[in-house]
Amino acid sequence: MKNNWLPALLACIIALPGRAQDCKSFYFLQNNKTIEMTIYNKKGDENGKQVYAVTDVKNGGGTLTGQLNSEMFDRKGKSFAKAKGTIQCKSGVMMVDMKMSLPAAQQEQFGTTEAKADNIYIEYPAAMKVGDELKDASMNIEVENKGMKQSVIMVVNNRKVEGKESVTTSAGTWECYKISYKSKITIKTMGIGIPVNIEGTEWFAPGFGIVKTQSKHGGTAITAIK
């Protein structure tokens, strides 16, 4: 009897170290890293920065998890918003805490107020290819803002891998997948809210992370990793 299963088994064993390495190379999962994203307004002018500090990276049950402390600064370098979140990776699939995906305008609105929400992730699969439709994601945050209770509902859908592009910033050059998406953010106060609709694009480098984002409201780009 031929051992037809042997080549497949060997292929799986060989592939395992690559999968682990995929997770470890994401910049949000490198312990004690500091990542600086420059924020641009709709005219393309620099409008501030968002700085992420990565801490407490752990590997458990085959999932690599890192804690993020995010701080946003205006164009004069004044801090105006802080947030905490997590990043996870399993088998090369990057999962980003949706709280970290709120646009600058909404983060500025809430500043350092207390926000409560379960960790809900938006996924970036390792095996994505041009033409793929990626999973939708939604989140509901409860906020205590100056004694007033508010809720933030964020829905991200119609995520599609449009193509592949090379992206160069002051932090490096990456071959990225260009992902289009639609997002609706509703901030409710006393049960009343007006939705904000966003159509955006992000550039995702496999095994590394999100390098650049863009919408009609502005965008971001990674400009330093320390």
Side-chain angles (χ1 to χ4, degrees):
M1 182 182 295
K2 293 183 178 180
N3 293 327
N4 293 326
W5 51 268
L6 186 57
L9 177 61
L10 290 174
C12 289
I13 293 172
I14 293 169
L16 287 174
R19 287 299 190 183
Q21 185 60 37
D22 282 347
C23 288
K24 291 179 181 177
S25 62
F26 284 118
Y27 56 82
F28 280 137
L29 288 168
Q30 296 177 28
N31 214 19
N32 300 320
K33 284 285 187 180
T34 300
I35 300 100
E36 184 178 283
M37 302 285 289
T38 297
I39 302 168
Y40 300 94
N41 61 24
K42 59 185 178 181
K43 294 182 179 180
D45 299 323
E46 186 173 329
N47 200 37
K49 293 186 184 297
Q50 185 162 16
V51 179
Y52 298 95
V54 184
T55 62
D56 200 26
V57 176
K58 296 179 179 178
N59 193 344
T63 300
L64 198 64
T65 302
Q67 302 298 316
L68 293 180
N69 293 306
S70 168
E71 187 167 9
M72 300 188 80
F73 300 86
D74 63 20
R75 68 181 69 182
K76 295 181 179 179
K78 181 180 178 182
S79 174
F80 65 81
K82 294 181 180 180
K84 293 182 179 181
T86 60
I87 298 288
Q88 291 189 344
C89 182
K90 185 174 183 178
S91 299
V93 180
M94 181 179 176
M95 294 171 281
V96 180
D97 190 335
M98 284 191 71
K99 294 193 292 295
M100 313 306 293
S101 301
L102 280 172
Q106 279 67 42
Q107 293 200 34
E108 181 175 10
Q109 180 174 348
F110 295 114
T112 57
T113 57
E114 290 295 322
K116 296 180 180 179
D118 294 332
N119 290 335
I120 298 174
Y121 298 96
I122 186 165
E123 293 187 6
Y124 296 83
M128 72 171 69
K129 60 185 182 299
V130 176
D132 280 354
E133 294 184 3
L134 307 182
K135 288 183 180 179
D136 297 344
S138 62
M139 170 187 68
N140 192 334
I141 301 177
E142 299 296 328
V143 178
E144 187 77 24
N145 191 3
K146 297 179 181 179
M148 184 178 297
K149 291 185 178 181
Q150 296 177 302
S151 65
V152 182
I153 301 169
M154 181 177 179
V155 177
V156 181
N157 56 21
N158 292 329
R159 302 173 66 219
K160 186 174 181 179
V161 183
E162 302 285 358
K164 293 187 75 174
E165 293 183 359
S166 179
V167 175
T168 298
T169 75
S170 58
T173 298
W174 301 270
E175 293 301 316
C176 299
Y177 284 103
K178 182 180 178 181
I179 303 169
S180 63
Y181 66 90
K182 291 183 179 180
S183 176
K184 182 168 74 173
I185 302 170
T186 305
I187 300 173
K188 289 186 177 182
T189 304
M190 304 293 289
I192 301 173
I194 299 175
V196 176
N197 294 301
I198 298 172
E199 292 188 17
T201 305
E202 53 191 8
W203 286 260
F204 176 78
F208 186 79
I210 301 164
V211 173
K212 177 183 173 183
T213 69
Q214 186 67 49
S215 76
K216 67 178 182 180
H217 303 286
T220 65
I222 185 169
T223 48
I225 303 174
K226 303 175 183 177

